[in-house]
Amino acid sequence: MQLISWATLQGSLELGIIYAIMALGVFISFRTLNIPDLTVDSSFTLGAAVSAIMIGISQPFIGLAFAFLAGFIAGTVTALLTTKLKIQPLLSGILMMLALYSINLKVMGGRPNIPLLNKPLIFSFLQGLAGARYTKLFFLMLILALILFLLYLFLKTKLGLALRATGDNDQMVRALGVNTNVTIIIGLALSNGLVALSGAIIAQYQGFADVSMGIGMVIIGLASVIIGEVLFGVKTLLRRLIAVVLGAVVYRFVITVALWLGMPPTDLKLVSAVIVAGALSMTVINEKFQSWKNKRANGGCEGGQM
Amino acid sequence: MLRVADICKTFNKGSINEKTALDNASLFLDKGEFVTVIGGNGAGKSTLINCIAGVYEIDAGRIFLDGTDITYTPEYKRSQYIGRVFQDPLMGTAFDMTIEENLAIAYAKGKPQGLRPGITRDDVAFFKEKLALLGLGLDDRVKEKVGSLSGGQRQALTLLMATIVKPKLLLLDEHIAALDPSIAKKVLRLTDEIVKEEKLCTIMITHNMKAALEYGDRTIMMHDGRIIMDLNGKDKQGVTVEWLIDQFSRKVGAQLDNDRMLLS
Ligand SMILES: Nc1ncnc2c1ncn2[C@@H]1O[C@H](COP(=O)(O)OP(=O)(O)O)[C@@H](O)[C@H]1O
Ligand SMILES: [Mg+2]
C-alpha cells in the first residue's frame, strides 16, 4: 500500500483550518451558550451561496463579509424564535434549517450548484507569489489566527463575559442585571456568522457552491469540539478555543485516513455520526467501566453480603 | 424603600395543580431595614422574594421600590437595583468561569456594557481587596474557576457579587441552608457585617429560627401565602424560639412543621 501523499495531507490540513472556523461557531452555540443550534447546517450553505453570487458583483473579500452578515442575520432569527417566541432551541434551529433551504436556493437563483471556476476568488491574488505550494495554507492560517484572536478578545469583553455566563447559569446573569435574550441573540448571530464565513471560504476553496453542502455540518462541528476537548483539554478559555481548532484539524485527518484506507466517500456522514455518538456517550461508558471495575475490585462479596 | 401591596400569585391557574402561593401579601420596608422571614415549607417565602425580584409576574397587587412602580419591570432590569443570593450554591455563580470573571459581571451592573475589556487591572485589585474581607483566602485564587470552590465559599462569593454594586434591596433565600453548620455561621456573620456596613435594605429568609431572631431589626412569619406575624423593634427583643412556635400553633391551629426548621 502506498503512503498518503504530502499533497493529500496538506489539502486535509487546509480543509481542517477552514472547517475550524465553522467549529468555532458551533462551540459558541453548543458550549458557550449551551444551546444546541441546528441552524448551522443551512447557514453554512447560506454563506457559500452568498459569497458565490457576490463573485462578479464585487470583490471576493466583500463577498465574505456579506456571507458573514447573512449568517449573522440567520442566527439572529433563530435566537428570536427561541427568546421572543419561546420555541425550543432545537426546534427553532430545525425550523430555520428548513426555511433557509428554500432561501438558499433563491439566493442561488434556483440553481442547486454554482461553479466558480475561472472567477476571481479570495485565493486568486496568491497566484504568482513565491512559494506557491504553501501560500494557500499560510493564507488560511492567517485568516484563522485573526478570527481566533478576535473571538478570544470578544469573549473577554464585558459583553463576552455576560455571554459566557449565560450558557453557564442564565438565572444568575439575569439576577446581575443582564438581559439574557440579548446575550443569546448576539451569541447565536456570531455563531452562525462564523459558520457562514466558513461555508463561503469552502465554496471558494473547492470552486463551487452546492445547496446540500451544509448537510451534517453541525455534527462535524460538534465532533471537532468534542475531539478537541478530549485531546487538548478545557482548562482556560484560550486553550478551549485552540482545542476546537485542533479538533477540527484532527477530525479532517481522521476522515482523510479513512478515505485513504478505502472507505467510500458516501459513508462519510455515517462515520461522522458514529464518531459523535461515541464521543457523546463517553462519560456514560466511562461510568459503566468504572462501576464494573469497582464491582470486580470488591471481589466475591457481590452476591452474598448485606 | 420597598412597598409590596396586596400581591397575589397563583401557580398553574385553572389546572388541578392550582396553588395559591401568595394571598394578598403586603410588606413595607424602610430604608436600611433588615427583615428576617420564617415560616413552614410551602408558606410562600420564596415566591414572595421571587415576585419582588421579577422572576414571576404577579396576578394582582403592586410593588414599589424606592418610589418607583416596578410591578411590570422585567427581571433583568429590576436586578440593576436588587441583589440576590439563592439557596442552591450552584445558582449564584457561573461555575466554568473564574472568580474574577464572575465578580466582573456583577461589578458591571448599572455600568455601560459592550465591548470594553471585561476586567481591568484596577478591577482585579479592587476584587482582591473585597475578597480579602471575606476571610476565606479567595483573594489569592481570583484566576481559579468557581467550580473548584466549596458551597460555603460560593455563597460568600455570591453574597459579595450581590452587594459589590450597592443594591437598593438585598434578597436572601435560605442562602445558608445548604451549608455545613460551621461555614453557615460564618456566611451568616458575613451577611450581617455587609448589611450593617452598607446599611442595606434586606429580606433574609431562613429556616433557622434562632438566626431569624438573632439577626435583623424585624422578623415576619408567613403561612399559606400570607404574613401572619410581624415582630418589630422592641417587640422582637426577648422573644424566644419556643414563644414563636407557640404563637404559630395558636394562629394557625396546627403544629409548625419543624422537621426542616432548626430550633436551636
Ligand atoms: N414555579 C412553581 N410552580 C408551581 N408551584 C410552585 C412554584 N413555586 C412554588 N410553588 C408552590 O407554591 C407554594 C409556595 O412555595 P414557596 O414559595 O417555594 O414556599 P417556601 O419558600 O415558603 O417553602 C408551594 O406550595 C409550592 O409548591
Ligand atoms: Mg423556599
Side-chain angles (χ1 to χ4, degrees):
Chain A
M1 209 183 230
Q2 214 180 335
L3 277 175
I4 302 186
S5 72
W6 169 249
T8 311
L9 283 182
Q10 189 186 331
S12 166
L13 180 58
E14 286 166 358
L15 278 174
I17 290 173
I18 305 175
Y19 281 117
I21 299 170
M22 181 272 299
L24 286 170
V26 170
F27 172 78
I28 293 174
S29 54
F30 274 71
R31 285 297 188 255
T32 308
L33 284 176
N34 210 0
I35 291 177
D37 175 25
L38 301 186
T39 314
V40 172
D41 276 22
S42 14
S43 54
F44 188 82
T45 313
L46 178 66
V50 167
S51 95
I53 57 142
M54 289 292 287
I55 286 170
I57 301 177
S58 76
Q59 255 275 320
F61 285 100
I62 299 196
L64 285 195
F66 272 90
F68 177 83
L69 190 67
F72 196 87
I73 294 169
T76 304
V77 176
T78 306
L80 287 173
L81 291 178
T82 309
T83 55
K84 297 288 177 199
L85 302 183
K86 305 277 177 226
I87 301 172
Q88 282 172 17
L90 212 53
L91 259 178
S92 301
I94 292 173
L95 288 174
M96 273 308 281
M97 188 159 69
L98 200 65
L100 278 179
Y101 188 84
S102 301
I103 291 174
N104 289 343
L105 267 173
K106 271 213 168 68
V107 170
M108 293 166 78
R111 292 163 294 173
N113 189 296
I114 302 179
L116 302 174
L117 296 173
N118 304 318
K119 297 262 171 65
L121 302 174
I122 53 168
F123 301 108
S124 302
F125 83 98
L126 297 169
Q127 273 164 12
L129 289 183
R133 244 183 97 178
Y134 297 110
T135 47
K136 236 185 215 179
L137 180 59
F138 282 128
F139 179 53
L140 287 171
M141 280 179 164
L142 204 70
I143 293 180
L144 178 63
L146 184 70
I147 290 172
L148 202 62
F149 177 67
L150 289 177
L151 184 59
Y152 178 70
L153 280 189
F154 170 70
L155 291 175
K156 287 275 186 185
T157 61
K158 284 197 192 305
L159 181 60
L161 290 182
L163 196 150
R164 286 159 60 203
T166 304
D168 247 14
N169 185 346
D170 59 330
Q171 174 166 357
M172 156 203 152
V173 174
R174 276 191 301 277
L176 293 176
V178 179
N179 187 350
T180 46
N181 285 352
V182 171
T183 51
I184 289 172
I185 290 169
I186 291 172
L188 286 188
L190 182 62
S191 159
N192 283 288
L194 287 175
V195 170
L197 180 62
S198 170
I201 299 176
I202 282 286
Q204 310 241 343
Y205 181 83
Q206 57 189 19
F208 64 87
D210 189 283
V211 75
S212 62
M213 65 193 279
I215 294 177
M217 214 34 77
V218 70
I219 293 302
I220 294 174
L222 198 53
S224 309
V225 170
I226 297 171
I227 291 171
E229 282 170 354
V230 171
L231 295 183
F232 307 104
V234 295
K235 200 123 189 243
T236 62
L237 177 66
L238 187 61
R239 184 146 166 193
R240 293 199 78 154
L241 293 177
I242 292 172
V244 171
V245 169
L246 295 177
V249 171
V250 169
Y251 176 84
R252 215 22 70 182
F253 277 134
V254 170
I255 297 295
T256 304
V257 170
L259 289 173
W260 172 73
L261 288 173
M263 181 187 78
T266 43
D267 287 356
L268 250 170
K269 302 226 188 301
L270 176 63
V271 171
S272 309
V274 169
I275 291 178
V276 171
L280 287 177
S281 53
M282 204 113 79
T283 40
V284 177
I285 292 171
N286 239 336
E287 272 167 23
K288 285 252 150 70
F289 179 67
Q290 281 302 330
S291 100
W292 174 78
K293 258 194 353 198
N294 288 346
K295 268 187 206 155
R296 275 184 52 126
N298 281 341
C301 63
E302 227 173 294
Q305 277 162 316
M306 288 286 286
Chain B
M1 180 52 83
L2 173 73
R3 188 154 73 86
V4 176
D6 299 309
I7 63 170
C8 299
K9 176 71 197 173
T10 302
F11 290 108
N12 306 315
K13 232 184 193 139
S15 84
I16 43 166
N17 294 324
E18 182 170 306
K19 173 75 205 175
T20 299
L22 287 179
D23 182 7
N24 281 298
S26 296
L27 183 65
F28 181 84
L29 258 74
D30 250 337
K31 240 190 174 73
E33 204 170 13
F34 181 5
V35 179
T36 57
V37 183
I38 53 174
N41 254 336
K45 306 180 297 292
S46 296
T47 307
L48 175 68
I49 272 195
N50 284 328
C51 286
I52 295 171
V55 179
Y56 306 128
E57 203 169 278
I58 55 178
D59 304 330
R62 288 271 157 193
I63 303 171
F64 299 87
L65 182 61
D66 202 12
T68 313
D69 187 344
I70 58 163
T71 312
Y72 298 105
T73 310
E75 179 186 2
Y76 78 91
K77 279 193 185 153
R78 293 185 205 193
S79 300
Q80 302 280 353
Y81 312 107
I82 299 177
R84 265 189 286 167
V85 185
F86 314 93
Q87 176 172 0
D88 183 350
L90 301 177
M91 291 299 281
T93 44
F95 71 97
D96 202 27
M97 296 172 75
T98 63
I99 293 177
E100 60 177 13
E101 284 171 338
N102 272 275
L103 281 165
I105 297 170
Y107 192 46
K109 216 188 230 193
K111 298 188 183 72
Q113 297 277 334
L115 301 178
R116 294 147 204 273
I119 312 172
T120 66
R121 207 167 295 161
D122 289 348
D123 290 343
V124 178
F126 176 63
F127 296 161
K128 283 187 172 172
E129 198 180 298
K130 286 283 184 184
L131 284 165
L133 294 178
L134 299 180
L136 294 170
L138 293 181
D139 42 323
D140 297 329
R141 299 171 61 183
V142 288
K143 299 237 182 291
E144 279 181 43
K145 285 188 181 177
V146 167
S148 69
L149 302 187
S150 71
Q153 288 170 330
R154 282 192 199 192
Q155 286 306 66
L157 177 61
T158 309
L159 185 65
L160 178 55
M161 285 164 64
T163 53
I164 196 160
V165 173
K166 186 177 175 179
K168 291 182 176 175
L169 178 66
L170 178 63
L171 301 175
L172 310 166
D173 189 353
E174 302 204 30
H175 68 305
I176 54 162
L179 308 179
D180 292 338
S182 64
I183 183 84
K185 215 173 227 168
K186 184 150 196 187
V187 173
L188 192 57
R189 219 167 28 229
L190 273 172
T191 308
D192 194 48
E193 274 168 30
I194 293 176
V195 168
K196 282 195 177 128
E197 174 83 27
E198 303 271 337
K199 300 189 176 57
L200 295 175
C201 185
T202 304
I203 303 180
M204 177 172 90
I205 300 175
T206 175
H207 64 301
N208 185 328
M209 297 182 94
K210 193 154 165 261
L213 291 173
E214 197 175 323
Y215 292 92
D217 316 312
R218 186 175 153 197
T219 299
I220 62 178
M221 185 185 268
M222 287 189 70
H223 182 70
D224 267 351
R226 264 192 298 256
I227 291 162
I228 58 165
M229 189 194 299
D230 192 337
L231 291 175
N232 217 330
K234 58 182 185 313
D235 295 345
K236 194 176 157 177
Q237 268 156 30
V239 169
T240 61
V241 171
E242 290 72 27
W243 184 85
L244 264 188
I245 293 171
D246 185 53
Q247 284 294 307
F248 181 88
S249 26
R250 265 168 218 247
K251 296 208 182 210
V252 176
Q255 281 296 310
L256 191 58
D257 62 336
N258 44 21
D259 48 328
R260 251 183 87 256
M261 289 275 188
L262 284 186
L263 304 177
S264 56

